[in-house]
Amino acid sequence: MRIGIHGAGSIGCFVGGRLAAAGLPVVLVGRERLQREIGNHGLTVSDFGERLVLPAGAVRYATDPRALAECDAVLVCVKSAQTAEVAAELAGILRPDAVVASFQNGVRNPETLRAALGSRPVVASIVDFNVVSQGEGVFHRGTDGGLKLERVAGADALAPTLRRAGLEVLELDAIAPHQWTKLLINLNNAVVALTDEPTPRLLQDPTLRRVVAALIDEAVGVLRAAGIPTAPLRGLPVSVMPKILRLPTPLVRLVTRRQMKVDPEARSSMWEDLQRGRPTEIDYLNGEILRVAEAHGASAPVNARLVAAVRDAEAAGGGSPGTSPVALARALGV
Ligand SMILES: NC(=O)c1ccc[n+]([C@@H]2O[C@H](COP(=O)([O-])OP(=O)(O)OC[C@H]3O[C@@H](n4cnc5c(N)ncnc54)[C@H](OP(=O)(O)O)[C@@H]3O)[C@@H](O)[C@H]2O)c1
């Protein structure tokens, strides 16, 4: 399979780099800034166990989406706000049988792609690991975790191709409950973005745990009111998560010691968006809970206050406001 990546930033360069390192034909499409960076330094993908270095010139990084015309599959890796724009571009470029996969957070991106792409198979996917761009062409996976792909007719070759690049892939007939569970986990991205605290602190600091528990608890209630099913997380119903987070720290450590490996300095991609002065995906994460609540006569005041705080931070510019955990808890009314 010739794979294309549309929106090659952190996730796209990591996945594209792994495919290229496995000798598979891949073309990355994205911004001139990264084209220059990778042109100068090559592309390095690293994680806990491996560091794969592709020298400058070894990976094709284009800025014109027409470079994707001959691809058998394209992985869409832009942030959710850009999905409609790239879907329209792809509709005019891709072959009628090309497979398109959404490698994005949020629950609506596959729907947006399907609306623009006619009969082409569109694969909803979940990226269960975190990648940060470290500069000089280095993209580092700071957690373990793999990919979940929806099983879609006409797209059978995609999962085996990704496995050839050493990525762990689980195929699912019904992916929507897993997308909602992932969205519940991603409610904490904004907490990292606003406090400037590394992700592991969310489990270590009792005030941050209380904030995250309140966000998830509220969202679980909204999804329940709307009749939206969620998938279990590591064998447990998601409604148990806030209960665990409210336990005393030594007990939380005990219960979560077999949870995912996370780099001590890992932060969310929403934090990275604030640092770079870009709009965040808040409307597609916590904002999605507000939309569901409104549609079903429920309310989500804690998530609503968090959405407002992130909008303020976006408008202010200047990166993460570095709100203290106590100040954030107070501002959210938790
Ligand atoms: N990073 C993670 O750890 C992680 C983990 C799980 C899931 N996700 C999800 O994966 C998706 C991608 O995240 P990411 O962190 O990889 O984002 P990212 O680093 O911002 O990468 C997206 C890239 O696409 C570029 N882009 C936007 N519009 C484009 C267009 N029309 N044509 C070409 N390039 C375009 C962006 O440039 P500009 O910045 O100039 O717009 C950016 O360089 C998001 O939905 C995110 O929530 C991320």
Side-chain angles (χ1 to χ4, degrees):
M1 264 197 142
R2 280 162 299 182
I3 304 243
I5 310 276
H6 201 356
S10 297
I11 293 297
C13 287
F14 181 84
V15 174
R18 291 220 55 127
L19 288 162
L24 297 162
V26 60
V27 52
L28 277 56
V29 169
R31 302 298 196 200
E32 211 180 308
R33 178 182 70 80
L34 280 170
Q35 184 190 46
R36 217 176 310 116
E37 186 178 314
I38 290 168
N40 289 337
H41 300 279
L43 175 59
T44 299
V45 291
S46 65
D47 58 25
F48 292 112
E50 266 182 319
R51 191 175 172 87
L52 305 170
V53 182
L54 295 142
V59 186
R60 185 165 169 219
Y61 195 112
T63 53
D64 186 337
R66 282 174 296 186
L68 301 167
E70 294 310 313
C71 288
D72 301 304
V74 171
L75 315 179
V76 173
C77 299
V78 293
K79 291 273 165 65
S80 303
Q82 280 103 41
T83 306
E85 171 195 334
V86 304
E89 273 174 10
L90 290 174
I93 292 168
L94 296 185
R95 292 198 324 250
D97 61 345
V99 171
V100 177
S102 161
F103 270 38
Q104 301 164 287
N105 280 332
V107 293
R108 283 166 194 267
N109 291 302
E111 196 176 297
T112 306
L113 291 168
R114 273 182 203 119
L117 289 164
S119 60
R120 295 176 183 95
V122 171
V123 180
S125 317
I126 297 171
V127 178
D128 273 330
F129 50 80
N130 176 261
V131 176
V132 285
S133 157
Q134 296 184 326
E136 305 203 335
V138 179
F139 294 85
H140 177 69
R141 175 162 67 175
T143 64
D144 55 8
L147 299 166
K148 294 191 178 86
L149 260 60
E150 181 184 20
R151 209 173 267 121
V152 173
D156 338 350
L158 184 57
T161 305
L162 292 163
R163 286 191 192 110
R164 282 177 62 193
L167 295 159
E168 207 181 288
V169 184
L170 179 66
E171 289 180 275
L172 297 162
D173 290 320
I175 202 168
H178 297 266
Q179 288 175 293
W180 284 105
T181 293
K182 179 77 194 308
L183 188 137
L184 290 173
I185 304 298
N186 287 139
L187 296 178
N188 75 53
N189 291 6
V191 176
V192 171
L194 291 174
T195 58
D196 199 13
E197 295 279 1
T199 307
R201 291 288 301 156
L202 297 182
L203 285 181
Q204 294 155 0
D205 183 294
T207 309
L208 290 175
R209 285 207 308 275
R210 194 153 47 83
V211 167
V212 175
L215 292 166
I216 297 176
D217 232 356
E218 183 179 88
V220 166
V222 167
L223 297 186
R224 203 173 278 147
I228 295 175
T230 53
L233 184 70
R234 296 186 182 228
L236 294 173
V238 281
S239 54
V240 173
M241 246 192 310
K243 294 185 178 66
I244 294 175
L245 292 169
R246 290 188 180 113
L247 292 171
T249 303
L251 279 178
V252 173
R253 258 194 220 123
L254 198 68
V255 175
T256 59
R257 72 184 186 287
R258 288 193 314 114
Q259 293 291 317
M260 33 173 16
K261 267 195 246 134
V262 184
D263 266 0
E265 285 306 310
R267 285 180 170 83
S268 63
S269 70
M270 192 177 292
W271 172 86
E272 199 168 333
D273 286 334
L274 284 188
Q275 296 308 104
R276 289 184 188 273
R278 298 184 299 202
T280 71
E281 284 183 311
I282 192 73
D283 284 344
Y284 303 88
L285 300 175
N286 309 71
E288 189 66 46
I289 297 299
L290 304 192
R291 253 189 301 275
V292 175
E294 198 178 334
H296 291 85
S299 70
V302 182
N303 280 281
R305 290 184 204 113
L306 190 68
V307 170
V310 172
R311 291 229 176 90
D312 287 348
E314 287 175 334
S320 167
T323 311
S324 74
V326 171
L328 183 66
R330 203 176 308 122
L332 300 183
V334 173

PDB file of all heavy atoms in Angstrom, residues 30-59:
ATOM      1  N   GLY A  30       2.352  18.448   4.467  1.00  0.00           N
ATOM      2  CA  GLY A  30       2.136  19.353   5.601  1.00  0.00           C
ATOM      3  C   GLY A  30       2.720  20.717   5.324  1.00  0.00           C
ATOM      4  O   GLY A  30       2.829  21.132   4.166  1.00  0.00           O
ATOM      5  N   ARG A  31       3.129  21.378   6.384  1.00  0.00           N
ATOM      6  CA  ARG A  31       3.542  22.782   6.294  1.00  0.00           C
ATOM      7  C   ARG A  31       5.014  22.928   5.906  1.00  0.00           C
ATOM      8  O   ARG A  31       5.843  22.063   6.216  1.00  0.00           O
ATOM      9  CB  ARG A  31       3.330  23.460   7.645  1.00  0.00           C
ATOM     10  CG  ARG A  31       1.907  23.415   8.141  1.00  0.00           C
ATOM     11  CD  ARG A  31       0.962  24.139   7.218  1.00  0.00           C
ATOM     12  NE  ARG A  31      -0.309  24.416   7.890  1.00  0.00           N
ATOM     13  CZ  ARG A  31      -1.434  24.675   7.252  1.00  0.00           C
ATOM     14  NH1 ARG A  31      -1.478  24.661   5.934  1.00  0.00           N
ATOM     15  NH2 ARG A  31      -2.537  24.938   7.929  1.00  0.00           N
ATOM     16  N   GLU A  32       5.295  24.090   5.327  1.00  0.00           N
ATOM     17  CA  GLU A  32       6.657  24.391   4.869  1.00  0.00           C
ATOM     18  C   GLU A  32       7.667  24.345   6.027  1.00  0.00           C
ATOM     19  O   GLU A  32       8.797  23.893   5.853  1.00  0.00           O
ATOM     20  CB  GLU A  32       6.651  25.786   4.246  1.00  0.00           C
ATOM     21  CG  GLU A  32       7.644  25.937   3.143  1.00  0.00           C
ATOM     22  CD  GLU A  32       7.584  27.340   2.555  1.00  0.00           C
ATOM     23  OE1 GLU A  32       6.474  27.786   2.189  1.00  0.00           O
ATOM     24  OE2 GLU A  32       8.654  27.972   2.518  1.00  0.00           O
ATOM     25  N   ARG A  33       7.215  24.800   7.228  1.00  0.00           N
ATOM     26  CA  ARG A  33       8.118  24.828   8.395  1.00  0.00           C
ATOM     27  C   ARG A  33       8.695  23.430   8.675  1.00  0.00           C
ATOM     28  O   ARG A  33       9.896  23.252   8.845  1.00  0.00           O
ATOM     29  CB  ARG A  33       7.328  25.324   9.621  1.00  0.00           C
ATOM     30  CG  ARG A  33       8.108  25.364  10.914  1.00  0.00           C
ATOM     31  CD  ARG A  33       7.221  25.829  12.072  1.00  0.00           C
ATOM     32  NE  ARG A  33       6.206  24.852  12.474  1.00  0.00           N
ATOM     33  CZ  ARG A  33       6.446  23.801  13.253  1.00  0.00           C
ATOM     34  NH1 ARG A  33       7.660  23.569  13.703  1.00  0.00           N
ATOM     35  NH2 ARG A  33       5.473  22.954  13.567  1.00  0.00           N
ATOM     36  N   LEU A  34       7.810  22.419   8.641  1.00  0.00           N
ATOM     37  CA  LEU A  34       8.272  21.051   8.933  1.00  0.00           C
ATOM     38  C   LEU A  34       9.010  20.450   7.737  1.00  0.00           C
ATOM     39  O   LEU A  34       9.930  19.653   7.902  1.00  0.00           O
ATOM     40  CB  LEU A  34       7.095  20.176   9.358  1.00  0.00           C
ATOM     41  CG  LEU A  34       6.693  20.367  10.820  1.00  0.00           C
ATOM     42  CD1 LEU A  34       5.379  19.681  11.143  1.00  0.00           C
ATOM     43  CD2 LEU A  34       7.795  19.838  11.744  1.00  0.00           C
ATOM     44  N   GLN A  35       8.594  20.856   6.539  1.00  0.00           N
ATOM     45  CA  GLN A  35       9.312  20.384   5.340  1.00  0.00           C
ATOM     46  C   GLN A  35      10.781  20.815   5.432  1.00  0.00           C
ATOM     47  O   GLN A  35      11.692  20.042   5.178  1.00  0.00           O
ATOM     48  CB  GLN A  35       8.668  20.974   4.087  1.00  0.00           C
ATOM     49  CG  GLN A  35       9.282  20.455   2.810  1.00  0.00           C
ATOM     50  CD  GLN A  35       8.792  21.221   1.593  1.00  0.00           C
ATOM     51  OE1 GLN A  35       8.737  22.458   1.598  1.00  0.00           O
ATOM     52  NE2 GLN A  35       8.432  20.492   0.556  1.00  0.00           N
ATOM     53  N   ARG A  36      10.973  22.073   5.879  1.00  0.00           N
ATOM     54  CA  ARG A  36      12.338  22.609   6.004  1.00  0.00           C
ATOM     55  C   ARG A  36      13.093  21.877   7.114  1.00  0.00           C
ATOM     56  O   ARG A  36      14.232  21.466   6.951  1.00  0.00           O
ATOM     57  CB  ARG A  36      12.265  24.102   6.307  1.00  0.00           C
ATOM     58  CG  ARG A  36      13.352  24.902   5.621  1.00  0.00           C
ATOM     59  CD  ARG A  36      13.219  26.403   5.842  1.00  0.00           C
ATOM     60  NE  ARG A  36      11.913  26.947   5.569  1.00  0.00           N
ATOM     61  CZ  ARG A  36      11.106  27.520   6.476  1.00  0.00           C
ATOM     62  NH1 ARG A  36      11.460  27.610   7.732  1.00  0.00           N
ATOM     63  NH2 ARG A  36       9.921  27.998   6.140  1.00  0.00           N
ATOM     64  N   GLU A  37      12.403  21.705   8.251  1.00  0.00           N
ATOM     65  CA  GLU A  37      13.051  21.051   9.408  1.00  0.00           C
ATOM     66  C   GLU A  37      13.511  19.633   9.028  1.00  0.00           C
ATOM     67  O   GLU A  37      14.652  19.245   9.310  1.00  0.00           O
ATOM     68  CB  GLU A  37      12.046  21.006  10.570  1.00  0.00           C
ATOM     69  CG  GLU A  37      12.624  20.500  11.870  1.00  0.00           C
ATOM     70  CD  GLU A  37      11.592  20.519  13.011  1.00  0.00           C
ATOM     71  OE1 GLU A  37      10.885  21.528  13.181  1.00  0.00           O
ATOM     72  OE2 GLU A  37      11.510  19.493  13.725  1.00  0.00           O
ATOM     73  N   ILE A  38      12.613  18.884   8.376  1.00  0.00           N
ATOM     74  CA  ILE A  38      12.947  17.493   8.023  1.00  0.00           C
ATOM     75  C   ILE A  38      13.959  17.462   6.877  1.00  0.00           C
ATOM     76  O   ILE A  38      14.834  16.600   6.824  1.00  0.00           O
ATOM     77  CB  ILE A  38      11.643  16.717   7.718  1.00  0.00           C
ATOM     78  CG1 ILE A  38      10.882  16.521   9.038  1.00  0.00           C
ATOM     79  CG2 ILE A  38      11.908  15.375   7.053  1.00  0.00           C
ATOM     80  CD1 ILE A  38       9.465  16.044   8.903  1.00  0.00           C
ATOM     81  N   GLY A  39      13.849  18.454   5.983  1.00  0.00           N
ATOM     82  CA  GLY A  39      14.834  18.574   4.897  1.00  0.00           C
ATOM     83  C   GLY A  39      16.227  18.826   5.457  1.00  0.00           C
ATOM     84  O   GLY A  39      17.219  18.318   4.937  1.00  0.00           O
ATOM     85  N   ASN A  40      16.327  19.592   6.543  1.00  0.00           N
ATOM     86  CA  ASN A  40      17.638  19.909   7.128  1.00  0.00           C
ATOM     87  C   ASN A  40      18.177  18.804   8.029  1.00  0.00           C
ATOM     88  O   ASN A  40      19.371  18.539   8.052  1.00  0.00           O
ATOM     89  CB  ASN A  40      17.547  21.190   7.977  1.00  0.00           C
ATOM     90  CG  ASN A  40      17.378  22.418   7.105  1.00  0.00           C
ATOM     91  OD1 ASN A  40      17.741  22.391   5.936  1.00  0.00           O
ATOM     92  ND2 ASN A  40      16.795  23.468   7.649  1.00  0.00           N
ATOM     93  N   HIS A  41      17.283  18.211   8.826  1.00  0.00           N
ATOM     94  CA  HIS A  41      17.750  17.290   9.882  1.00  0.00           C
ATOM     95  C   HIS A  41      17.385  15.832   9.644  1.00  0.00           C
ATOM     96  O   HIS A  41      17.762  14.973  10.435  1.00  0.00           O
ATOM     97  CB  HIS A  41      17.146  17.703  11.235  1.00  0.00           C
ATOM     98  CG  HIS A  41      17.515  19.098  11.652  1.00  0.00           C
ATOM     99  ND1 HIS A  41      18.724  19.391  12.241  1.00  0.00           N
ATOM    100  CD2 HIS A  41      16.842  20.264  11.549  1.00  0.00           C
ATOM    101  CE1 HIS A  41      18.769  20.699  12.489  1.00  0.00           C
ATOM    102  NE2 HIS A  41      17.647  21.250  12.079  1.00  0.00           N
ATOM    103  N   GLY A  42      16.584  15.538   8.597  1.00  0.00           N
ATOM    104  CA  GLY A  42      16.058  14.187   8.469  1.00  0.00           C
ATOM    105  C   GLY A  42      14.899  14.010   9.438  1.00  0.00           C
ATOM    106  O   GLY A  42      14.463  14.969  10.093  1.00  0.00           O
ATOM    107  N   LEU A  43      14.395  12.785   9.543  1.00  0.00           N
ATOM    108  CA  LEU A  43      13.246  12.502  10.408  1.00  0.00           C
ATOM    109  C   LEU A  43      13.637  11.396  11.399  1.00  0.00           C
ATOM    110  O   LEU A  43      14.103  10.338  10.986  1.00  0.00           O
ATOM    111  CB  LEU A  43      12.055  12.061   9.539  1.00  0.00           C
ATOM    112  CG  LEU A  43      10.780  11.599  10.232  1.00  0.00           C
ATOM    113  CD1 LEU A  43      10.202  12.698  11.123  1.00  0.00           C
ATOM    114  CD2 LEU A  43       9.723  11.202   9.183  1.00  0.00           C
ATOM    115  N   THR A  44      13.482  11.689  12.683  1.00  0.00           N
ATOM    116  CA  THR A  44      13.803  10.692  13.709  1.00  0.00           C
ATOM    117  C   THR A  44      12.536  10.381  14.485  1.00  0.00           C
ATOM    118  O   THR A  44      11.848  11.297  14.936  1.00  0.00           O
ATOM    119  CB  THR A  44      14.874  11.235  14.684  1.00  0.00           C
ATOM    120  OG1 THR A  44      16.056  11.514  13.933  1.00  0.00           O
ATOM    121  CG2 THR A  44      15.199  10.230  15.781  1.00  0.00           C
ATOM    122  N   VAL A  45      12.202   9.086  14.619  1.00  0.00           N
ATOM    123  CA  VAL A  45      11.065   8.703  15.460  1.00  0.00           C
ATOM    124  C   VAL A  45      11.616   7.890  16.628  1.00  0.00           C
ATOM    125  O   VAL A  45      12.395   6.958  16.442  1.00  0.00           O
ATOM    126  CB  VAL A  45       9.974   7.926  14.686  1.00  0.00           C
ATOM    127  CG1 VAL A  45       9.270   8.835  13.704  1.00  0.00           C
ATOM    128  CG2 VAL A  45      10.520   6.720  13.961  1.00  0.00           C
ATOM    129  N   SER A  46      11.215   8.306  17.827  1.00  0.00           N
ATOM    130  CA  SER A  46      11.761   7.620  19.002  1.00  0.00           C
ATOM    131  C   SER A  46      10.624   7.260  19.946  1.00  0.00           C
ATOM    132  O   SER A  46       9.525   7.835  19.884  1.00  0.00           O
ATOM    133  CB  SER A  46      12.772   8.515  19.720  1.00  0.00           C
ATOM    134  OG  SER A  46      12.137   9.653  20.244  1.00  0.00           O
ATOM    135  N   ASP A  47      10.892   6.280  20.792  1.00  0.00           N
ATOM    136  CA  ASP A  47       9.959   5.946  21.878  1.00  0.00           C
ATOM    137  C   ASP A  47      10.769   5.332  23.004  1.00  0.00           C
ATOM    138  O   ASP A  47      11.997   5.473  23.048  1.00  0.00           O
ATOM    139  CB  ASP A  47       8.785   5.080  21.407  1.00  0.00           C
ATOM    140  CG  ASP A  47       9.224   3.772  20.780  1.00  0.00           C
ATOM    141  OD1 ASP A  47      10.321   3.296  21.108  1.00  0.00           O
ATOM    142  OD2 ASP A  47       8.462   3.213  19.970  1.00  0.00           O
ATOM    143  N   PHE A  48      10.107   4.622  23.933  1.00  0.00           N
ATOM    144  CA  PHE A  48      10.834   4.085  25.085  1.00  0.00           C
ATOM    145  C   PHE A  48      11.971   3.151  24.671  1.00  0.00           C
ATOM    146  O   PHE A  48      13.013   3.105  25.289  1.00  0.00           O
ATOM    147  CB  PHE A  48       9.881   3.323  26.012  1.00  0.00           C
ATOM    148  CG  PHE A  48       8.902   4.224  26.700  1.00  0.00           C
ATOM    149  CD1 PHE A  48       7.552   4.168  26.407  1.00  0.00           C
ATOM    150  CD2 PHE A  48       9.328   5.130  27.660  1.00  0.00           C
ATOM    151  CE1 PHE A  48       6.649   4.997  27.047  1.00  0.00           C
ATOM    152  CE2 PHE A  48       8.434   5.970  28.305  1.00  0.00           C
ATOM    153  CZ  PHE A  48       7.095   5.900  28.001  1.00  0.00           C
ATOM    154  N   GLY A  49      11.722   2.399  23.568  1.00  0.00           N
ATOM    155  CA  GLY A  49      12.690   1.347  23.260  1.00  0.00           C
ATOM    156  C   GLY A  49      13.559   1.618  22.060  1.00  0.00           C
ATOM    157  O   GLY A  49      14.620   1.037  21.909  1.00  0.00           O
ATOM    158  N   GLU A  50      13.113   2.513  21.151  1.00  0.00           N
ATOM    159  CA  GLU A  50      13.765   2.592  19.836  1.00  0.00           C
ATOM    160  C   GLU A  50      14.005   4.025  19.408  1.00  0.00           C
ATOM    161  O   GLU A  50      13.278   4.938  19.813  1.00  0.00           O
ATOM    162  CB  GLU A  50      12.825   1.987  18.783  1.00  0.00           C
ATOM    163  CG  GLU A  50      13.054   0.541  18.490  1.00  0.00           C
ATOM    164  CD  GLU A  50      12.097   0.067  17.398  1.00  0.00           C
ATOM    165  OE1 GLU A  50      10.908   0.454  17.413  1.00  0.00           O
ATOM    166  OE2 GLU A  50      12.549  -0.700  16.556  1.00  0.00           O
ATOM    167  N   ARG A  51      14.999   4.204  18.555  1.00  0.00           N
ATOM    168  CA  ARG A  51      15.231   5.504  17.928  1.00  0.00           C
ATOM    169  C   ARG A  51      15.571   5.213  16.469  1.00  0.00           C
ATOM    170  O   ARG A  51      16.619   4.642  16.167  1.00  0.00           O
ATOM    171  CB  ARG A  51      16.389   6.194  18.654  1.00  0.00           C
ATOM    172  CG  ARG A  51      16.572   7.638  18.277  1.00  0.00           C
ATOM    173  CD  ARG A  51      17.664   8.265  19.141  1.00  0.00           C
ATOM    174  NE  ARG A  51      17.980   9.592  18.652  1.00  0.00           N
ATOM    175  CZ  ARG A  51      17.335  10.689  19.012  1.00  0.00           C
ATOM    176  NH1 ARG A  51      16.366  10.631  19.890  1.00  0.00           N
ATOM    177  NH2 ARG A  51      17.660  11.858  18.499  1.00  0.00           N
ATOM    178  N   LEU A  52      14.628   5.532  15.573  1.00  0.00           N
ATOM    179  CA  LEU A  52      14.836   5.239  14.154  1.00  0.00           C
ATOM    180  C   LEU A  52      15.164   6.536  13.439  1.00  0.00           C
ATOM    181  O   LEU A  52      14.393   7.508  13.511  1.00  0.00           O
ATOM    182  CB  LEU A  52      13.552   4.627  13.554  1.00  0.00           C
ATOM    183  CG  LEU A  52      13.008   3.377  14.266  1.00  0.00           C
ATOM    184  CD1 LEU A  52      11.619   3.008  13.747  1.00  0.00           C
ATOM    185  CD2 LEU A  52      13.967   2.209  14.061  1.00  0.00           C
ATOM    186  N   VAL A  53      16.310   6.568  12.789  1.00  0.00           N
ATOM    187  CA  VAL A  53      16.763   7.808  12.150  1.00  0.00           C
ATOM    188  C   VAL A  53      16.703   7.654  10.637  1.00  0.00           C
ATOM    189  O   VAL A  53      17.316   6.749  10.075  1.00  0.00           O
ATOM    190  CB  VAL A  53      18.215   8.145  12.585  1.00  0.00           C
ATOM    191  CG1 VAL A  53      18.676   9.458  11.952  1.00  0.00           C
ATOM    192  CG2 VAL A  53      18.313   8.231  14.107  1.00  0.00           C
ATOM    193  N   LEU A  54      15.933   8.543   9.992  1.00  0.00           N
ATOM    194  CA  LEU A  54      15.877   8.571   8.528  1.00  0.00           C
ATOM    195  C   LEU A  54      16.623   9.818   8.076  1.00  0.00           C
ATOM    196  O   LEU A  54      16.221  10.934   8.421  1.00  0.00           O
ATOM    197  CB  LEU A  54      14.409   8.631   8.071  1.00  0.00           C
ATOM    198  CG  LEU A  54      13.608   7.378   8.437  1.00  0.00           C
ATOM    199  CD1 LEU A  54      12.197   7.720   8.851  1.00  0.00           C
ATOM    200  CD2 LEU A  54      13.608   6.418   7.273  1.00  0.00           C
ATOM    201  N   PRO A  55      17.712   9.664   7.359  1.00  0.00           N
ATOM    202  CA  PRO A  55      18.512  10.842   6.988  1.00  0.00           C
ATOM    203  C   PRO A  55      17.737  11.786   6.070  1.00  0.00           C
ATOM    204  O   PRO A  55      16.767  11.378   5.429  1.00  0.00           O
ATOM    205  CB  PRO A  55      19.715  10.228   6.270  1.00  0.00           C
ATOM    206  CG  PRO A  55      19.352   8.837   5.942  1.00  0.00           C
ATOM    207  CD  PRO A  55      18.235   8.399   6.835  1.00  0.00           C
ATOM    208  N   ALA A  56      18.184  13.053   6.020  1.00  0.00           N
ATOM    209  CA  ALA A  56      17.564  14.043   5.133  1.00  0.00           C
ATOM    210  C   ALA A  56      17.482  13.460   3.719  1.00  0.00           C
ATOM    211  O   ALA A  56      18.428  12.832   3.252  1.00  0.00           O
ATOM    212  CB  ALA A  56      18.399  15.319   5.147  1.00  0.00           C
ATOM    213  N   GLY A  57      16.328  13.622   3.096  1.00  0.00           N
ATOM    214  CA  GLY A  57      16.159  13.118   1.731  1.00  0.00           C
ATOM    215  C   GLY A  57      15.558  11.722   1.684  1.00  0.00           C
ATOM    216  O   GLY A  57      15.086  11.275   0.641  1.00  0.00           O
ATOM    217  N   ALA A  58      15.530  11.014   2.825  1.00  0.00           N
ATOM    218  CA  ALA A  58      15.024   9.633   2.822  1.00  0.00           C
ATOM    219  C   ALA A  58      13.491   9.596   2.867  1.00  0.00           C
ATOM    220  O   ALA A  58      12.887   8.581   2.526  1.00  0.00           O
ATOM    221  CB  ALA A  58      15.596   8.853   3.998  1.00  0.00           C
ATOM    222  N   VAL A  59      12.869  10.698   3.296  1.00  0.00           N
ATOM    223  CA  VAL A  59      11.399  10.721   3.385  1.00  0.00           C
ATOM    224  C   VAL A  59      10.888  11.861   2.521  1.00  0.00           C
ATOM    225  O   VAL A  59      11.432  12.965   2.538  1.00  0.00           O
ATOM    226  CB  VAL A  59      10.939  10.997   4.837  1.00  0.00           C
ATOM    227  CG1 VAL A  59       9.429  10.885   4.959  1.00  0.00           C
ATOM    228  CG2 VAL A  59      11.617  10.070   5.802  1.00  0.00           C
TER     229      VAL A  59
END
